[in-house]
Amino acid sequence: MSGDKVNSVDGVSVQANHVEKPTQLKGDDDQVDPWNVVSKSDTGVDYDKLIQRFGSSKIDEELLTRFEKVTGKPVHHLLRRGFFFSHRDMHSILTRYEQGKPFYLYTGRGPSSSSMHLGHLIPFTLCKWLQDVFNCPLVIQLTDDEKTLWKDLTVEEAYKMALENAKDIIACGFDINKTFIFSDFTYIGQRPEFYRNMIRIQKCVTFNQVKGIFGFDDSTVIGKIAFPAVQATPALSTSFPDIFGTKKIPCLIPCAIDQDPYFRMTRDVCPRIGFDKPALLHSKFFPALQGAKTKMSASEANSTIFMNDTPKQLKNKINKHAFSGGQTTVEEHRKIGGNCDIDISYQYLRFFLHDDEKLEEIKENYTSGKLLTGELKKFLIDVLTPVLTKHQEIRSQVTDDTLQTFMTPRKLC
């Protein structure tokens, strides 16, 4: 390969003699890739710069207005409040829906703990809503192979976590007749069509390209180098012959923005092998309890509220670890007020408190100093406690037979 050759992956140029992480934001110290999210700013990642860097499109009022017009439904608060902030080709999905043409949803989960956390609910919450609004099938990939490669996990440990995470996903309320959940460790061996599509994708992507996209180097194990094709393959409908047969149907992928590098690669490959590019909806990161400089991580117990935490654990974590935008003394806070832009309790309420008027009232009272940090944390605890208890109650009713049905390749409605 000549040193000056240039490859293009969905608009991102990659020099063959230069290894660059396109996910490293230029001009600042924000790092955003599929495995790390770190920002120097107390308010978190600069998402406008991410849009410019990745070449995606901002979700604007025009798109939201069209969404409501086409579906006849008010947009979800995660869209309305800007938590899903960026997209690729969402207009094409709305056009297909207007024309009565089919599409499907695809999202995933990388199991790194036996329980999901609050941040993992975000893409699944929107997926559940999209499934209901569009009345379409959904495939959910459990990348237990990825976590075995990137984490200190055995194959057996990762697969066991995948099954536990699948129960958490089912507890989000997905329609069993329209949802297929699969583990890479089992499904790829069951359906040769999936593996054949993997090979078609792998044949189109060079080592130089994945180095440029993902920052791989000569010491990277070959499993990691090959994995991006695995995550790309569910975007090809023929990978699921039980659901779609041989029909080539496009998909919509709701995911966190750090997963976009996988799908930039996918969108470059799809037209070359006869498939439509997948459309995407990108979400912001759910911040860690310690602040928005990093995202919530299942690997850091005190940065995370797990879905199986008890009410007491939830209360302790918020009271002890939730970063405050308030002042150091009550007197100062009454005089100066709090900063909602960096206060984690307020930021979490923006995700989980549906009442717009109440949310605005809390912001005004906290900013003015009328509402103290302890009172704000208590309000968050009162909002999140029923979220966790309801989820745990539904999850406890997920039987092994129910899990097996969701994970059995079959025709979906």
Side-chain angles (χ1 to χ4, degrees):
M1 185 178 292
S2 63
D4 58 353
K5 184 176 180 180
V6 177
N7 294 308
S8 176
V9 181
D10 199 31
V12 178
S13 296
V14 181
Q15 293 285 349
N17 62 347
H18 177 62
V19 177
E20 178 193 11
K21 283 188 180 181
T23 44
Q24 183 74 36
L25 299 182
K26 292 182 177 179
D28 57 40
D29 293 322
D30 283 355
Q31 181 186 356
V32 178
D33 62 43
W35 311 283
N36 300 285
V37 176
V38 180
S39 173
K40 286 194 70 175
S41 172
D42 288 336
T43 57
V45 171
D46 188 328
Y47 292 102
D48 288 334
K49 285 188 177 180
L50 272 186
I51 288 175
Q52 295 175 4
R53 183 66 176 142
F54 288 170
S56 59
S57 300
K58 187 173 183 178
I59 295 178
D60 54 19
E61 286 300 320
E62 178 187 356
L63 178 59
L64 296 180
T65 299
R66 187 183 178 208
F67 199 111
E68 292 188 340
K69 180 180 179 181
V70 169
T71 65
K73 306 284 186 181
V75 294
H76 197 278
H77 77 275
L78 291 175
L79 284 165
R80 189 178 70 249
R81 293 179 184 170
F83 293 119
F84 279 82
F85 70 102
S86 167
H87 74 99
R88 296 186 188 276
D89 290 340
M90 186 62 205
H91 281 290
S92 68
I93 293 295
L94 293 176
T95 298
R96 289 189 68 87
Y97 185 72
E98 283 180 311
Q99 297 171 345
K101 295 179 180 179
F103 65 91
Y104 67 100
L105 298 169
Y106 156 41
T107 195
R109 164 80 185 115
S112 57
S113 63
S114 59
S115 173
M116 297 199 320
H117 61 59
L118 280 178
H120 296 140
L121 285 188
I122 303 307
F124 289 118
T125 297
L126 191 75
C127 271
K128 167 65 169 64
W129 182 77
L130 290 170
Q131 183 183 66
D132 293 342
V133 168
F134 290 117
N135 191 29
C136 61
L138 163 67
V139 297
I140 300 174
Q141 180 184 38
L142 301 172
T143 56
D144 36 19
D145 49 349
E146 175 201 16
K147 292 307 178 183
T148 301
L149 291 165
W150 265 272
K151 300 286 186 179
D152 186 21
L153 295 173
T154 65
V155 168
E156 293 76 16
E157 289 169 337
Y159 178 63
K160 184 177 179 180
M161 288 179 180
L163 297 182
E164 292 301 313
N165 282 192
K167 294 177 182 178
D168 274 328
I169 293 168
I170 292 169
C172 294
F174 291 108
D175 188 334
I176 196 169
N177 297 309
K178 300 174 187 173
T179 307
F180 173 50
I181 303 173
F182 67 99
S183 150
D184 284 344
F185 279 144
T186 56
Y187 185 71
I188 294 173
Q190 291 175 335
R191 293 296 181 268
E193 293 87 351
F194 193 100
Y195 184 68
R196 290 168 187 162
N197 280 340
M198 276 175 52
I199 296 301
R200 291 185 178 105
I201 293 169
Q202 289 175 345
K203 191 174 180 179
C204 291
V205 184
T206 67
F207 177 45
N208 179 66
Q209 285 176 313
V210 293
K211 282 199 301 182
I213 299 169
F214 299 102
F216 299 149
D217 56 35
D218 292 342
S219 65
T220 302
V221 298
I222 59 174
K224 292 183 179 181
I225 296 165
F227 175 75
V230 182
Q231 186 157 321
T233 302
L236 309 185
S237 58
T238 56
S239 303
F240 306 101
D242 303 274
I243 305 173
F244 304 111
T246 59
K247 295 179 181 177
K248 294 183 177 181
I249 299 170
C251 70
L252 169 62
I253 308 173
C255 63
I257 187 66
D258 59 345
Q259 298 301 301
D260 187 69
Y262 285 112
F263 302 117
R264 289 204 304 272
M265 184 197 78
T266 308
R267 284 167 56 83
D268 180 72
V269 170
C270 279
R272 298 159 60 187
I273 56 176
F275 288 85
D276 290 329
K277 294 180 179 183
L280 286 99
L281 288 171
H282 299 128
S283 73
K284 295 179 179 179
F285 304 116
F286 196 80
L289 284 167
Q290 285 75 14
K293 290 183 177 181
T294 61
K295 68 174 181 177
M296 187 175 276
S297 170
S299 303
E300 299 290 337
N302 287 330
S303 76
T304 304
I305 296 172
F306 289 103
M307 299 310 299
N308 63 356
D309 279 348
T310 65
K312 183 178 179 180
Q313 288 173 318
L314 168 66
K315 181 179 179 180
N316 288 340
K317 285 184 177 181
I318 292 174
N319 283 331
K320 292 181 179 179
H321 301 291
F323 186 81
S324 170
Q327 306 306 321
T328 54
T329 66
V330 172
E331 291 74 16
E332 277 188 280
H333 187 86
R334 295 292 191 199
K335 181 179 179 181
I336 302 173
N339 184 351
C340 287
D341 291 337
I342 64 173
D343 191 284
I344 288 300
S345 295
Y346 177 78
Q347 293 302 318
Y348 283 15
L349 285 173
R350 294 187 68 229
F351 282 93
F352 289 100
L353 181 60
H354 295 185
D355 188 330
D356 290 338
E357 291 184 4
K358 187 63 178 178
L359 185 66
E360 183 60 30
E361 178 187 336
I362 290 171
K363 182 177 182 180
E364 290 178 2
N365 288 341
Y366 193 63
T367 302
S368 69
K370 183 178 178 181
L371 185 70
L372 299 176
T373 296
E375 294 170 329
L376 178 58
K377 288 186 174 185
K378 183 182 184 304
F379 194 92
L380 175 64
I381 293 167
D382 291 341
V383 169
L384 290 183
T385 298
V387 173
L388 293 190
T389 54
K390 180 181 178 182
H391 181 91
Q392 292 164 12
E393 180 183 351
I394 298 173
R395 190 189 190 282
S396 69
Q397 299 170 4
V398 178
T399 65
D400 290 340
D401 287 343
T402 301
L403 176 63
Q404 183 178 0
T405 301
F406 269 98
M407 299 189 72
T408 297
R410 65 202 188 282
K411 186 72 175 176
L412 300 180
C413 294

